[in-house]
Amino acid sequence: MITTKQRAYLRSLANKIDSIFQIGKGGIEAPFIKQVEDALEKRELVKITVLENSGMDPRDAHDHLVGALGCEGVQVIGSKIVLYKESRNNKKIELPGK
């Protein structure tokens, strides 16, 4: 579990990155979850865009991914989702207060 201060720090880092995934009309399926999991292991912080044709609310998509991946949901703003999971092998982000 991350603290409010750590969440704010991750949000500031997320401002500088682009979305690397989009949730479209195919929704969230096992291959998509695997890709996001691999990206989280490599990058630790991932931004995802939920397209209007997905039929999903960004908050619902966020909750589904957090549950499936066991990661931290950093932010849902507009159609964007930001997720964080500490990497086991490629640690890049040092959270404040740790």
Side-chain angles (χ1 to χ4, degrees), residues 22-29 32 54 56:
Q22 294 180 334
I23 300 172
K25 64 182 177 183
I28 300 173
E29 296 181 359
F32 179 79
S54 70
M56 294 187 86

Side-chain angles (χ1 to χ4, degrees), residues 33-77:
I33 291 172
K34 177 68 174 137
Q35 287 180 329
V36 173
E37 186 175 33
D38 293 344
L40 280 169
E41 175 59 32
K42 184 157 179 85
R43 300 174 182 232
E44 294 186 313
L45 192 65
V46 173
K47 190 184 285 187
I48 301 169
T49 302
V50 180
L51 301 176
E52 286 184 26
N53 69 349
S54 70
M56 294 187 86
D57 180 59
R59 176 58 66 182
D60 294 337
H62 166 271
D63 295 343
H64 185 318
L65 287 170
V66 167
L69 296 167
C71 61
E72 296 284 344
V74 176
Q75 183 177 32
V76 177
I77 186 162

Side-chain angles (χ1 to χ4, degrees), residues 1-13 44-45 72 74 84-87 91-98:
M1 194 72 186
I2 58 176
T3 65
T4 306
K5 188 177 216 175
Q6 292 167 337
R7 189 175 311 277
Y9 175 71
L10 290 170
R11 276 198 314 264
S12 73
L13 293 178
E44 294 186 313
L45 192 65
E72 296 284 344
V74 176
Y84 169 78
K85 186 172 186 180
E86 187 174 333
S87 174
K91 186 132 177 63
K92 295 178 182 177
I93 299 173
E94 189 63 40
L95 293 177
K98 252 191 163 179

Side-chain angles (χ1 to χ4, degrees), residues 13-21 43 45-49 80-82:
L13 293 178
N15 281 334
K16 301 174 188 113
I17 65 173
D18 294 324
S19 293
I20 60 169
F21 293 109
R43 300 174 182 232
L45 192 65
V46 173
K47 190 184 285 187
I48 301 169
T49 302
K80 307 269 193 234
I81 300 169
V82 179

